[in-house]
Amino acid sequence: MNIFVIGSFVQACCWAVDKIPKPGETLKANGIHIEAGGKGLNVAICCQRLDENVHVMLGIGNDDAADSLIKLLAAEHISSEFCFRLSPQSGYGAGMISSCGQNAIAVYPGPNLLLNHHHVDIAKPVIEQADVIYGQFEGAYEAIEASFALAKQFKARTILNPSPYQTITANLLNNTDIIIVNEVEIIDILALSTTNANLTNLTTLQAWQVFLVSATQPLWQQWQNNHITKKLLVITLGHLGCIAINQDLEVTSVPTFAVNIIDTIGCGDAFASGFCKMILQTSLVNTLRYANACGAIVANQKGVLSALPTATTVQDFLIAKAYC
């Protein structure tokens, strides 16, 4: 398949801590890890490793971090044709990872937010040939909106991860086929209060299913169906697994794989990559299971880039789990 990613690149700096600090608290870190990161970059690299044909559009700086990125893309067999140097400094990210696998992340997007419809026009020949278009909100909203609008002219499947969350315009929403969010972002997208009493009981996949059938109905009223593909909302739920629900309120849930959780940063990106690879090739259940496997493999390792799986890694993982 041809996958086009409206990406994001940040030089990621991650600190290992015993716990996530409270406001005003200073902690001693036990280690630090620095590597190229960004949600869009992670997805592009992972999809390529999963044996798909990937193009990525990135806003980068005129600095050493960007130079290293170009070399990384070449090593991963991804073209840097649509890497645009738009500012002196590239984006940067800071993450803290606790000993129990929890994380807190802050991102300075920098030139990622400077991509616009002019850059999309340059990439138009590739977008026209894409089977799947993937975007996320570390990248420029204008570039995502323009890419998705163009993609729908050529009937590509559009997948949006609205993270870090911001309001989705009606135009972008209606050009989006699939939304992937986590358990925090679903509260934002449904405009619910985290103090809502119903949320405290969501401790099982079954409870989430019941909740989503009721809570998503206002979303389906806004999210117009194009009568070609059913709109699909996918929610990743960490240790529980994942759930998908469509506008007909048909719910599909797949439990997670049991692994030793070491580092959860990048798990969502790995899940999205597996989903992008499989959604046009197999059933929804198999797609979600494959995506869960990609996320579990990353959770079981330190770092992100080195942990992003290959197609062989996922196949071996699924075979091993089938006999557990």
Side-chain angles (χ1 to χ4, degrees):
M1 286 202 312
N2 294 317
I3 299 176
F4 185 83
V5 178
I6 304 99
S8 58
F9 162 64
V10 296
Q11 188 73 356
C13 306
C14 296
W15 287 264
V17 293
D18 292 330
K19 64 174 185 176
I20 303 300
K22 300 187 293 289
E25 182 179 16
T26 300
L27 297 177
K28 181 184 73 174
N30 303 314
I32 185 171
H33 180 74
I34 301 174
E35 65 180 4
K39 297 179 70 62
L41 178 65
N42 293 340
V43 170
I45 289 177
C46 192
C47 285
Q48 184 75 24
R49 291 183 185 177
L50 295 176
D51 292 340
E52 301 306 330
N53 182 39
V54 177
H55 283 86
V56 62
M57 182 166 63
L58 296 167
I60 62 177
N62 286 289
D63 55 7
D64 292 340
D67 294 341
S68 297
L69 168 70
I70 300 301
K71 295 177 182 178
L72 170 65
L73 291 175
E76 296 288 343
H77 308 290
I78 299 175
S79 171
S80 59
E81 178 183 3
F82 305 119
C83 292
F84 301 99
R85 293 185 183 261
L86 303 176
S87 71
Q89 186 180 49
S90 296
Y92 273 77
M96 286 178 285
I97 308 163
S98 74
S99 56
C100 65
Q102 292 181 324
N103 67 73
I105 304 171
V107 175
Y108 166 70
N112 291 294
L113 300 185
L114 299 179
L115 291 169
N116 56 42
H117 66 279
H118 296 296
H119 303 108
V120 174
D121 288 341
I122 295 172
K124 182 179 178 181
V126 171
I127 295 174
E128 290 176 353
Q129 299 300 315
D131 300 296
V132 170
I133 308 288
Y134 175 85
Q136 41 65 55
F137 282 170
E138 280 183 6
Y141 201 105
E142 181 180 341
I144 298 169
E145 202 165 36
S147 296
F148 277 32
L150 181 60
K152 296 319 295 176
Q153 295 179 30
F154 298 93
K155 297 181 173 56
R157 194 70 62 90
T158 51
I159 302 176
L160 177 67
N161 173 219
S163 176
Y165 184 77
Q166 58 180 294
T167 301
I168 305 173
T169 63
N171 182 51
L172 178 57
L173 183 64
N174 292 324
N175 281 323
T176 299
D177 296 316
I178 299 167
I179 294 175
I180 301 177
V181 290
N182 63 23
E183 56 198 288
V184 175
E185 293 151 359
I186 187 60
I187 304 305
D188 291 322
I189 203 169
L190 297 178
L192 298 175
S193 169
T194 54
T195 59
N196 187 314
N198 293 331
L199 303 181
T200 61
N201 300 320
L202 301 180
T203 58
T204 65
L205 284 178
Q206 184 177 11
W208 272 99
Q209 289 182 60
V210 173
F211 165 74
L212 288 169
V213 168
S214 173
T216 58
Q217 293 190 42
L219 174 64
W220 304 122
Q221 294 172 7
Q222 302 173 46
W223 198 1
Q224 298 174 8
N225 182 23
N226 59 15
H227 303 293
I228 298 174
T229 58
K230 288 184 178 180
K231 303 293 189 178
L232 188 67
L233 178 65
V234 179
I235 304 95
T236 59
L237 298 168
H239 69 285
L240 293 178
C242 62
I243 291 179
I245 182 170
N246 65 24
Q247 73 242 30
D248 293 331
L249 302 182
E250 298 168 336
V251 181
T252 304
S253 63
V254 176
T256 192
F257 293 98
V259 295
N260 180 30
I261 297 176
I262 296 175
D263 182 354
T264 57
I265 293 179
C267 294
D269 301 333
F271 178 97
S273 303
F275 190 95
C276 287
K277 171 184 172 66
M278 300 301 290
I279 188 56
L280 299 183
Q281 301 187 52
T282 186
S283 68
L284 180 57
V285 169
N286 287 340
T287 296
L288 295 174
R289 188 168 184 266
Y290 190 95
N292 271 351
C294 292
I297 290 168
V298 171
N300 189 228
Q301 303 175 67
K302 288 185 178 179
V304 178
L305 273 185
S306 61
L308 293 173
T310 64
T312 301
T313 304
V314 181
Q315 181 181 23
D316 291 345
F317 179 89
L318 288 170
I319 291 172
K321 289 299 180 180
Y323 290 97
C324 289

